Amino acid sequence: MAIDPNEWLVEFSSCLTPDDTVVCDAGSSFYLCHQRLRLPEGCRLIADLSHAAMGFAIPAAIGAALAKKRGHVYVICGDGG
């Protein structure tokens, strides 16, 4: 049974809190996150808008986690990231 990424992102959105940060990678995860994520007010989405190479999300999430005082950091990687 395959998981529909669109449905998964909508469900995932309902689990987010205002203190959370979501980092999305380049590729299809970038587009899906921007189309389907519903972030609560205060929640942050970090994405490379200059179309960087895949693999951006892990180092960006490490930096976000080191900079945060509270909340969780989630990474969404897709096709090859």
Side-chain angles (χ1 to χ4, degrees):
M1 175 183 211
I3 296 174
D4 182 344
N6 292 293
E7 291 178 19
W8 184 86
L9 284 167
V10 171
E11 278 297 313
F12 174 69
S13 296
S14 68
C15 299
L16 295 172
T17 68
D19 292 328
D20 292 338
T21 300
V22 179
V23 183
C24 68
D25 210 359
S28 62
S29 58
F30 173 86
Y31 300 108
L32 286 170
C33 284
H34 283 82
Q35 291 173 351
R36 297 291 181 223
L37 272 181
R38 301 294 178 253
L39 303 176
E41 188 171 336
C43 186
R44 305 257 182 204
L45 174 64
I46 298 175
D48 184 11
L49 300 178
S50 64
H51 305 291
M54 291 179 182
F56 159 82
I58 299 290
I62 291 170
L66 291 173
K68 287 184 70 66
K69 304 244 187 295
R70 61 179 177 228
H72 295 94
V73 177
Y74 298 97
V75 178
I76 299 178
C77 293
D79 52 343

